[in-house]
Amino acid sequence: MYDSGGSFAVRYGSYALVTGASEGIGRAFVVELAKKGLDLILVARREAVLKQLAEEIQTHHGVQCQVLSADLAQQEEVERVMAFSARFDVGLVVCNAGFGTAGNFLDNDLSNEMSMLSVNCEALTRMTHAYGAKFKERGRGAIILLSSIIATQGVPRSAHYSATKAYVQALGEALYEEWRGSGVDLLIVAPGPVETGFSKRSKMQFGLTTTPDVVAIDSINALGRQRLVHPGWLAKVMSLGLSITPRSIRVKVMGMVMKEMTKRLPS
Ligand SMILES: NC(=O)c1ccc[n+]([C@@H]2O[C@H](COP(=O)([O-])OP(=O)(O)OC[C@H]3O[C@@H](n4cnc5c(N)ncnc54)[C@H](OP(=O)(O)O)[C@@H]3O)[C@@H](O)[C@H]2O)c1
């Protein structure tokens, strides 16, 4: 089913823009989209890392690669990304940049929580609004939004991170319906635990994990075919388990899981 040809460029436009491209899932999206022949705009804060990835991609896949260092927690930086990318034929946007926080909500630093809200929700909303409008006007394009398996209930000890992903999930579900038949594809990606820099940054300890390339490949295969993907078998099993459990019980179960995953943090 996985198509290594250039049909994505014809379907959407020659460039894909990936936020959070320097590591983890975003980096895997960059590699897999380059294999499909798409030119790329890589966005994240670490410019040197992006430049090295761009070089690798250009050498191995012969596609064009633009690099833009930007802190998506800052509104003006998001505007700068939009202005820069307007110079290229962008047809696919992967809103992937994000991070999580863990521990008791009241113990966490509020300014970091507000940065997370800006990156996970505000930047994603601005980009989805701007690119959604462009794509709708020309009748083609696609947007991929990174949600999470934890988006469908409150998660004690990751209360605000799970809330940011619930926001993304609800926004994506509604936009999928609003854009039906417009030629604009929308895909919500809801992974389970993935082996990336995420767990270290969020101070969570993961057990079983999926690899970032599985997330990218399953997502690319699902784009234009479905509304939501749980990439890899682990996320599918976890989402099935959660879906048959009443919401109030899910919250308690997720609280127990998070307690285990954050046992090095103050209880
Ligand atoms: N890993 C998981 O288990 C998991 C599960 C479900 C959902 N997700 C979601 O998947 C997405 C990618 O996470 P990941 O696991 O790949 O994490 P990661 O390895 O930590 O990568 C996060 C990426 O986001 C970028 N980023 C973070 N803050 C940024 C900011 N202020 N401005 C610009 N870029 C920023 C980072 O680049 P710089 O540091 O260079 O800026 C990096 O490229 C996130 O939205 C996350 O919530 C992850």
Side-chain angles (χ1 to χ4, degrees), residues 17-175:
L17 185 158
V18 180
T19 69
S22 58
E23 197 173 345
I25 295 170
R27 185 189 168 97
F29 264 108
V30 167
V31 172
E32 296 307 324
L33 291 170
K35 286 184 193 167
K36 293 185 83 67
L38 283 176
D39 297 325
L40 286 142
I41 302 174
L42 316 185
V43 179
R45 287 165 302 183
R46 285 169 293 166
E47 190 170 24
V49 180
L50 291 179
K51 279 185 170 161
Q52 182 161 2
L53 176 60
E55 254 181 58
E56 284 171 32
I57 292 297
Q58 279 163 340
T59 307
H60 289 108
H61 304 289
V63 298
Q64 298 294 311
C65 229
Q66 315 296 328
V67 160
L68 186 62
S69 163
D71 180 356
L72 298 178
Q74 314 289 331
Q75 185 185 326
E76 55 285 2
E77 297 270 287
V78 180
E79 304 298 342
R80 196 163 59 81
V81 171
M82 245 97 76
F84 175 85
S85 60
R87 309 205 299 254
F88 305 95
D89 176 26
V90 175
L92 168 60
V93 176
V94 185
C95 292
N96 162 80
F99 68 98
T101 59
N104 293 321
F105 179 65
L106 296 181
D107 294 337
N108 291 347
D109 172 53
L110 183 61
S111 68
N112 193 41
E113 296 295 320
M114 298 316 282
S115 285
M116 179 174 70
L117 187 60
S118 301
V119 179
N120 294 11
C121 299
E122 192 177 342
L124 172 145
T125 303
R126 289 183 185 282
M127 297 187 77
T128 301
H129 192 270
Y131 273 106
K134 249 186 207 182
F135 295 164
K136 218 171 164 194
E137 197 181 311
R138 69 177 191 179
R140 69 186 179 123
I143 297 183
I144 295 177
L145 303 179
L146 260 292
S147 174
S148 166
I149 194 98
I150 67 169
T152 52
Q153 69 287 298
V155 179
R157 290 178 72 77
S158 196
H160 188 211
Y161 173 64
S162 61
T164 68
K165 292 300 170 183
Y167 175 100
V168 174
Q169 183 89 15
L171 182 70
E173 284 171 0
L175 294 182

